[in-house]
Amino acid sequence: MGPDVKGLLAHLRLELTLLARNGESLLLTLGIPVLLLVFFANVDVLPFDGEPIDFLAPGVLALAVLSTAFTNLAIGVGFEREYGVLKRLGSTPLGRPRLLAAKTLAIAVVEAIQIVVLWPLALVLGWNPSVEPFAALAALVLGTIACAGLGLCLAGSLKALVTLAAANGIYVLLVLLSGMVIPLDELPAAVRAVARALPSGALAEAIRGAVAVGVDVPGRAWIVLAAWAIAAPVAATRLFRWEAES
Amino acid sequence: MAAVEVEDLTVRYGDVLAVDGVSFAAEAGRITAVLGPNGAGKTSTIEVLEGYRPPAGGRTSVIGLHPIADHRTLVRRVGVMLQSGGVGTGVRALEALRHAAALYDEPLDPAELLERVGLTGLERRQWRAMSGGEQRRLTLALALVGRPQVAFLDEPTSGVDPVGRQGIREVVADLRDDGVTVVLTTHDLDEAERLADHVVILDHGRVVAAGSPAELTDSDVAEVRFGAVSGLDVARLAEHLRARVTEVEPGEYLVAARGTPATIAALTAWLAERDVALADLRAGRQRLEDVFLRLVAE
């Protein structure tokens, strides 16, 4: 194994080890999605047509992507930046391409674990999916890129504690507004229009269209999602500062 | 042969000129200390050499390479210890070192290195639970694990207790035996004097003096300093020694004469007559602190 791959794997391993060691990360990436899925599937408080789980399961999958690629990434990178971790790594042979590759792979691994946990759980709760694999994968990849780009915009430009607060606050807001657990039809028309323009709203629509019975992904959702998947990383490369202000 | 060269370096932060025309060279296989008070431009200088910031002007080279243009080559041959931080709070000591080792072609053995910096027994301790001194020792180990040819150590002993400081100095001194070029910054005069082969004194972004500790402290200034009870009759003593005597601060006296055996004998005889105990006596060679304080005051 060449040193290039060895370094990449070492960094991926450290990323995953730290995530598994960090209670807040586990709560965010697994605890909350599982909790929301089980709670709303059993407690009849949300206004659904038909089986609540058929609405909830795709929404919670989108929420899982949002928590990993946006909130958890932003908080982690924000503190790495503040603690000088990124700065130190900059003087080692790891290099930015392999650092980014390791972080991307870490997100992919976590999302795979989330799907492995949430999917059977949803089936047990009575979910009846109809999967279009290509559309599902495209939604996952585009949504992850858009969310990660936005997360890095925060993490690379704000103080770590501000990033922490903002990433959590925006997360709660997006979960409520994006049609993940509350159907968009229940929201006022103006809010609904905003929600559909959000990356999280488009992600939820795309995933729902890709895995739900009798629903197609609206073309509009693909356009919104793709636009964010381009704009957010471009903004991140402009905004991102590797060193925190001292 | 110079491993690190700095020529007329300037570093600017907005309107502030942090480094203003600094030049010096660090010989290969030697320890060079960049010494100065806080805000003298030490870290700015060393961070240019590490490739972290482009200079506003001047030329720098590290083992003949450009710190930024040749960064990808240099990271394999240069070890960097930042002034603070550098490790995530939840990372364990040995884990951090193993991770760093995996980034290099021929790293040192992480467990052995941990022992060398005195962290044996703390392999599983997380960064957040380490003392300031333990954190500094781990970051030193991280800088050394890739067997660097040049090590840049930014205030390696700041915030470390005296025992820990001694341990760090031993590790740094061993680097010289291994042929590693060390450039360190410090505001600790004693450290520079004990550890360095070459000292560059910075103040307000300029080099105010440079040389070996012996050269810097070898005094052409004819003076003898001694400490004794305050309030001695300096006029009478001056008459006795045929030299000007001043009490520079209470209990600290300065005799404007060469420290010849005759002068010293006359001084001690005069004190003995009056039964005055001598607290300390320095002649010929100043302490680096005297040089430093005089230069920085000028």
Side-chain angles (χ1 to χ4, degrees):
Chain A
M1 188 164 49
D4 284 0
V5 178
K6 200 177 65 165
L8 174 67
L9 291 181
H11 199 73
L12 174 61
R13 184 177 157 177
L14 185 64
E15 291 269 346
L16 294 173
T17 306
L18 293 178
L19 194 138
R21 194 175 289 159
N22 186 344
E24 292 95 324
S25 291
L26 290 178
L27 180 68
L28 185 68
T29 55
L30 283 172
I32 291 175
V34 166
L35 198 77
L36 288 178
L37 190 64
V38 173
F39 183 83
F40 286 118
N42 287 294
V43 183
D44 202 10
V45 289
L46 295 173
F48 298 114
D49 302 329
E51 283 300 310
I53 189 65
D54 286 333
F55 173 81
L56 268 174
V60 168
L61 287 173
L63 180 147
V65 171
L66 182 68
S67 35
T68 301
F70 173 71
T71 310
N72 197 52
L73 178 73
I75 295 170
V77 172
F79 279 101
E80 281 184 333
R81 182 169 158 270
E82 186 130 319
Y83 293 146
V85 178
L86 298 181
K87 184 174 179 181
R88 185 179 66 77
L89 291 175
S91 70
T92 70
L94 180 65
R96 288 176 189 178
R98 280 195 294 165
L99 175 67
L100 289 179
K103 286 200 174 289
T104 308
L105 286 174
I107 289 173
V109 169
V110 174
E111 287 180 352
I113 293 170
Q114 289 175 312
I115 291 170
V116 164
V117 170
L118 292 170
W119 197 284
L121 185 62
L123 291 179
V124 168
L125 292 168
W127 183 34
N128 178 27
S130 153
V131 186
E132 297 166 47
F134 181 75
L137 190 66
L140 212 58
V141 170
L142 289 175
T144 299
I145 294 172
C147 289
L150 291 175
L152 292 177
C153 284
L154 294 185
S157 61
L158 303 174
K159 284 183 168 299
L161 282 175
V162 180
T163 297
L164 173 73
N168 280 319
I170 292 171
Y171 174 71
V172 172
L173 202 66
L174 291 183
V175 167
L176 293 177
L177 281 184
S178 303
M180 291 176 177
V181 290
I182 301 171
L184 281 185
D185 298 343
E186 301 298 321
L187 300 175
V191 179
R192 202 183 312 149
V194 172
R196 288 190 169 136
L198 293 172
S200 47
L203 172 65
E205 277 189 291
I207 290 187
R208 176 157 296 120
V211 300
V213 179
V215 186
D216 280 330
V217 183
R220 184 197 62 242
W222 285 126
I223 293 168
V224 170
L225 203 52
W228 280 104
I230 294 167
V234 168
T237 58
R238 297 279 169 86
L239 290 172
F240 203 90
R241 297 287 169 268
W242 292 80
E243 268 184 58
E245 309 280 325
S246 51
Chain B
M1 198 191 73
V4 176
E5 289 177 297
V6 178
E7 226 179 277
D8 205 21
L9 176 69
T10 55
V11 178
R12 223 176 246 289
Y13 300 105
D15 292 339
V16 182
L17 199 56
V19 178
D20 182 10
V22 163
S23 300
F24 69 89
E27 291 297 306
R30 297 292 170 84
I31 299 173
T32 299
V34 179
L35 174 70
N38 293 334
K42 306 186 296 289
T43 297
S44 297
T45 300
I46 208 166
E47 288 196 347
V48 169
L49 294 170
E50 291 162 350
Y52 282 119
R53 58 190 80 260
R59 291 195 320 115
T60 54
S61 76
V62 177
I63 47 176
L65 299 171
H66 188 279
I68 293 174
D70 300 319
H71 190 66
R72 289 190 55 180
T73 309
L74 280 173
V75 288
R76 297 178 187 281
R77 295 161 73 179
V78 170
V80 169
M81 177 179 183
L82 298 175
Q83 197 178 102
S84 64
V87 180
T89 53
V91 184
R92 302 183 197 278
L94 187 56
E95 191 171 61
L97 214 44
R98 284 203 175 126
H99 168 264
L103 305 178
Y104 296 91
D105 299 334
E106 290 176 17
L108 296 170
D109 179 71
E112 278 175 30
L113 182 55
L114 213 56
E115 186 181 347
R116 201 165 119 199
V117 298
L119 291 179
T120 307
L122 302 184
E123 289 83 357
R124 291 181 56 77
R125 182 158 300 182
Q126 292 183 14
W127 177 265
R128 66 163 67 89
M130 292 184 187
S131 71
E134 288 160 0
Q135 291 180 343
R136 291 311 277 156
R137 281 186 272 173
L138 178 58
T139 25
L140 175 62
L142 289 170
L144 302 182
V145 71
R147 297 182 200 263
Q149 203 174 331
V150 178
F152 291 113
L153 313 177
D154 199 354
E155 306 211 355
T157 60
S158 75
V160 182
D161 65 35
V163 178
R165 226 176 290 162
Q166 190 49 40
I168 289 177
R169 285 178 192 155
E170 280 166 18
V171 173
V172 175
D174 287 345
L175 290 174
R176 175 173 39 203
D177 300 337
D178 294 342
V180 179
T181 305
V182 178
V183 178
L184 61 87
T185 70
T186 181
H187 51 237
D188 185 340
L189 300 142
D190 191 41
E191 180 160 291
E193 192 164 8
R194 285 199 211 180
L195 204 52
D197 302 299
H198 185 70
V199 179
V200 179
I201 302 181
L202 287 192
D203 187 41
H204 292 105
R206 291 168 179 271
V207 175
V208 291
S212 68
E215 283 163 0
L216 288 172
T217 55
D218 195 17
S219 168
D220 288 333
V221 189
E223 62 177 43
V224 175
R225 286 169 177 267
F226 70 94
V229 65
S230 66
L232 291 179
D233 187 344
V234 290
R236 294 279 294 277
L237 177 59
E239 203 175 295
H240 180 72
L241 296 175
R242 296 168 196 284
R244 195 160 51 84
V245 181
T246 43
E247 187 171 358
V248 287
E249 55 185 285
E252 179 74 21
Y253 298 88
L254 180 66
V255 181
R258 286 204 170 277
T260 59
T263 306
I264 303 299
L267 170 64
T268 48
W270 191 85
L271 293 172
E273 255 172 54
R274 285 156 186 79
D275 198 23
V276 173
L278 195 59
D280 68 84
L281 174 70
R282 284 200 311 281
R285 182 160 280 228
Q286 315 169 73
R287 287 180 49 213
L288 193 51
E289 187 174 349
D290 302 328
V291 178
F292 179 72
L293 292 176
R294 203 174 61 230
L295 288 167
V296 170
E298 272 166 11

